[in-house]
Amino acid sequence: MEKQFPHNFLFGAATAAYQVEGATREDGRLPSIWDVFAHSPGKTFGGQTGDQACDQYHRFHDDVRLLKEFGFRSYRFSVSWSRIFPEGKGRINEKGMDYYRRLVDELLRNDIIPLVTLYHWDLPQALEGIGGWLNRDTMSYFANYAQKVVREFRGEATRFITVNEPSVAAYEGYLTGHHAPGHTDFRETITVAHHLMAGHAYASNAIRSVSQATEIGIALNLSPIYPSTKDQHEAARTYDLVSNQFFLDAACSGKYPQEVLDLYGTFFDLTFMQQADFQMMRSQTLDFLGVNYYFPTVVQKGEHPLLSDVLPPQGLLTDMGWAIAPNGLQDLLVRIHRDYPQVPIYITENGAAFPDKVIGDHVDDPRRIDYLKGHLETCLDVLSQGIDVKGYYVWSLLDNFEWAHGYSKRFGIVYVDFESMRRIPKASAYWLRDWIVAHTAREA
Ligand code: FCB
């Protein structure tokens, strides 16, 4: 018999606030670092911004209808901190909170489980003004914001992701400068990585103090690291320690790998990592690990003492130039299960960008179907090996504002015409709906 997903496997679709909501100046919202960054010359493709994005703020009913129509049982979205606390702290902005309550109500009415990301890269600009994630205080503002939002949902949303992809926020925001706030300094990168991981722990603790019934996870972007040749093993190992294990260990066992600390310690003063942070990290347990997987990475030794050189990807590529390799997901999940067997896993993002076109009223996206099929079949394989994967969220429900790439990269299973805001489900949406039904066991 063909392999099947268990009946309670959670299929969902994912988005993030700044990428889909628009309405950036409405109902009391103030700018986040992404508003400022996108509005700065030369930072995004064609100077594009999330000002309108997919206008989900005004069209969430339509989007929930799409989720329902395509059979999704869960929706992963993020809350914009700047809507709840426009200045990052202080008094709750009721109108902002009300938007998310209405969204959650609409989801629940349609039997769709909300999975709420609290921080998907959009720090309130007011906090950036006092140092942003470089400032330790941001961790407590984050914990306060997280606690208040969870409480305001009054038990209607019970699953939360504290931070989305801390390594991308740290490395793209503070080393390459491709993302907000656009800095380029390695010590800052590590400082921010630590404040995000410790911030996750402080936020988890704050949430648990007001709600025992919540499930708290974190979404890490993970990429299996392979050496370019056999003698590049060391380069692959170092890169893996810095880019994967640092975050995995922090999230799953509340500490950093000693080797990474030793490595960083030879270059930088690490006094920003305080004992209280480690205590807090160790005291928290993770209810689930969110894995965002897109592509594998091949490396060799480079000039940089802390980072190896990444080789250009080979073989089939997406429109992002990312290698298509479902076996990378397999390697990753096997490794996570080996190292942290107790942690339940959700794939919280997986998907691909292709230059989709509307022809007539249709969008044919066979390459996306292949991509999704390969990765979903991998999920079935690892499930049959006894690995506890509980759900899969496709990135993304909608074509949206792809950060520095603006609207030039289409990740949606639903096409968005950014002039009219019309949504047109792509062939992959129909395919996914039917494939999931065909590969999920009926409830006994
Ligand atoms: C991930 C981000 C998500 C989206 C996808 C393509 O790194 O979490 O917002 O941009 O990549």
Side-chain angles (χ1 to χ4, degrees):
M1 204 185 101
E2 265 205 291
K3 290 180 188 148
Q4 290 202 309
F5 288 99
H7 72 87
N8 57 353
F9 192 86
L10 210 55
F11 278 105
T15 62
Y18 191 65
Q19 296 183 274
V20 299
E21 284 178 357
T24 51
R25 294 181 185 84
E26 268 174 65
D27 293 338
R29 182 189 183 280
L30 287 178
S32 77
I33 54 174
W34 262 98
D35 295 274
V36 172
F37 187 76
H39 278 274
S40 311
K43 299 298 186 193
T44 63
F45 175 85
Q48 292 173 339
T49 72
D51 287 3
Q52 265 90 48
C54 306
D55 196 31
Q56 186 168 83
Y57 195 74
H58 299 115
R59 294 164 196 261
F60 71 88
H61 287 99
D62 295 345
D63 294 340
V64 174
R65 207 172 307 127
L66 284 168
L67 288 162
K68 182 78 181 167
E69 184 180 340
F70 288 94
F72 292 109
R73 293 189 44 225
S74 182
Y75 181 43
R76 176 181 173 214
F77 63 93
S78 81
V79 171
S80 151
W81 185 342
S82 308
R83 288 196 196 282
I84 311 299
F85 291 108
E87 308 270 2
K89 52 184 169 159
R91 286 215 354 241
I92 286 196
N93 172 31
E94 279 304 328
K95 282 188 175 165
M97 193 59 225
D98 193 52
Y99 165 69
Y100 295 106
R101 274 201 220 101
R102 284 184 287 127
L103 171 59
V104 164
D105 283 350
E106 187 67 9
L107 290 168
L108 295 180
R109 249 200 300 279
N110 286 279
D111 292 322
I112 298 168
I113 299 171
L115 172 60
V116 186
T117 309
L118 293 163
Y119 186 68
H120 204 121
W121 307 350
D122 45 357
L123 187 77
Q125 180 62 26
L127 294 185
E128 184 62 23
I130 52 170
W133 283 109
L134 290 166
N135 180 348
R136 285 186 61 77
D137 294 345
T138 298
M139 296 191 286
S140 32
Y141 298 136
F142 179 53
N144 179 58
Y145 150 71
Q147 182 188 60
K148 296 292 167 1
V149 168
V150 170
R151 201 165 56 192
E152 291 292 321
F153 277 124
R154 302 175 188 134
E156 302 227 307
T158 56
R159 300 176 190 219
F160 293 90
I161 287 173
T162 52
V163 179
N164 178 68
E165 301 192 350
S167 85
V168 174
Y171 281 80
E172 300 292 330
Y174 291 85
L175 187 63
T176 68
H178 294 157
H179 283 185
H183 299 195
T184 51
D185 179 306
F186 205 97
R187 183 171 191 273
E188 287 191 5
T189 307
I190 303 168
T191 310
V192 168
H194 171 65
H195 286 161
L196 287 166
M197 294 314 297
H200 150 79
Y202 284 110
S204 305
N205 183 57
I207 294 170
R208 289 201 168 98
S209 73
V210 293
S211 169
Q212 299 297 323
T214 44
E215 282 183 49
I216 306 173
I218 188 167
L220 301 182
N221 58 300
L222 299 167
S223 176
I225 313 296
Y226 304 105
S228 58
T229 55
K230 277 210 191 84
D231 60 348
Q232 294 297 328
H233 243 76
E234 208 35 50
R237 204 179 123 63
T238 310
Y239 200 83
D240 181 72
L241 276 166
V242 168
S243 66
N244 291 325
Q245 209 177 323
F246 178 86
F247 297 96
L248 274 168
D249 278 3
C252 301
S253 41
K255 57 181 173 26
Y256 298 126
Q258 190 56 44
E259 277 175 273
V260 180
L261 293 180
D262 293 345
L263 194 66
Y264 287 167
T266 54
F267 293 94
F268 307 111
D269 163 14
L270 299 180
T271 45
F272 58 83
M273 295 183 178
Q274 298 194 359
Q275 277 316 316
D277 303 344
F278 290 123
Q279 266 166 21
M280 183 53 74
M281 287 165 68
R282 276 196 306 270
S283 72
Q284 297 303 306
T285 46
L286 197 67
D287 295 321
F288 65 90
L289 176 68
V291 173
N292 294 359
Y293 172 75
Y294 289 94
F295 57 84
T297 304
V298 179
V299 300
Q300 65 187 20
K301 192 168 169 32
E303 297 292 300
H304 198 288
L306 298 172
L307 296 169
S308 316
D309 283 352
V310 174
L311 267 61
Q314 304 286 324
L316 286 179
L317 306 181
T318 70
D319 198 26
M320 295 292 280
W322 295 347
I324 303 177
N327 60 317
L329 179 60
Q330 154 100 21
D331 290 351
L332 200 59
L333 294 174
V334 167
R335 175 253 183 106
I336 295 170
H337 180 69
R338 181 198 65 203
D339 293 351
Y340 319 97
Q342 77 287 2
V343 182
I345 300 168
Y346 287 84
I347 311 295
T348 36
E349 286 182 29
N350 176 242
F354 290 108
D356 304 310
K357 298 259 174 319
V358 188
I359 299 176
D361 252 354
H362 299 281
V363 181
D364 262 328
D365 56 344
R367 286 184 289 171
R368 182 171 294 101
I369 294 177
D370 282 350
Y371 182 100
L372 297 177
K373 185 163 187 280
H375 290 79
L376 287 164
E377 285 174 351
T378 298
C379 290
L380 279 176
D381 287 345
V382 303
L383 275 170
S384 70
Q385 294 163 34
I387 298 178
D388 192 15
V389 180
K390 293 191 166 304
Y392 173 100
Y393 291 76
V394 64
W395 185 272
S396 173
L397 175 66
L398 303 170
D399 291 340
N400 60 45
F401 178 77
E402 179 47 37
W403 309 112
H405 297 280
Y407 300 96
S408 68
K409 305 293 176 200
R410 293 184 175 271
F411 271 93
I413 54 165
V414 174
Y415 184 95
V416 177
D417 173 338
F418 292 105
E419 296 289 307
S420 66
M421 293 297 162
R422 188 174 162 216
R423 277 83 162 127
I424 306 171
K426 302 178 191 178
S428 56
Y430 296 94
W431 173 85
L432 195 55
R433 178 191 63 191
D434 297 345
W435 193 92
I436 290 173
V437 170
H439 291 81
T440 303
R442 302 260 151 78
E443 194 168 354

